[in-house]
Amino acid sequence: MFTVDDAIRIARAAHGAQLDKSGRPYIEHPLRVMASVTSEHERMTAALHDVVEDTAVTLADLAAAGCPPEVVAAVDAISKRPEETQVEYLTRVVANPIARAVKHADIADNSAPARLAQLDQATRDRLRLKYATALDFLAAH
């Protein structure tokens, strides 16, 4: 049976030595997102929410590892695709309740004042606008 620990193990292996925009180990981000959601499927999705978008892990890899179909579907929904507009992406996110909950937690973590303070002003301004727009879209749909 696939567990939250399995999701964390996959995320740790996939993100490996990746660093975030402030130079911190990237895995810290999905783990913080995971800590702010509640259900088991939300926690699995949070741990895995960037692996398909940002690493070599595929949805098929997650399914082959025994990841529940609901989690694979949520990871698919929350993974931005190349050439996709923000509206197309967020429309898919809001259609999946697990992805929607994780996206809210993802935005909260990404827009935390302490995290934004580590970035240059132009990046902070760009991200604040991006996250505010995303939250408005999620609230309206």
Side-chain angles (χ1 to χ4, degrees), residues 2-105:
F2 193 88
T3 67
V4 171
D5 286 340
D6 294 321
I8 294 169
R9 179 183 46 75
I10 291 169
R12 280 189 189 282
H15 290 298
Q18 287 179 334
L19 301 175
D20 68 12
K21 289 177 181 72
S22 65
R24 302 282 310 152
Y26 191 84
I27 190 63
E28 293 175 3
H29 167 66
L31 295 178
R32 285 190 307 267
V33 173
M34 185 186 77
S36 64
V37 294
T38 54
S39 79
E40 188 172 3
H41 284 169
E42 288 172 357
R43 290 173 49 80
M44 289 176 191
T45 302
L48 298 168
H49 83 273
D50 283 333
V51 297
V52 170
E53 184 176 328
D54 294 338
T55 77
V57 174
T58 66
L59 295 169
D61 293 334
L62 296 178
C67 191
E70 299 89 349
V71 173
V72 174
V75 171
D76 182 31
I78 204 166
S79 298
K80 192 148 187 333
R81 298 174 182 147
E83 312 286 327
E84 182 174 47
T85 69
Q86 188 73 348
V87 170
E88 291 167 335
Y89 166 65
L90 291 172
T91 299
R92 191 175 58 258
V93 170
V94 298
N96 183 298
I98 297 169
R100 184 181 194 138
V102 172
K103 189 62 183 174
H104 274 283

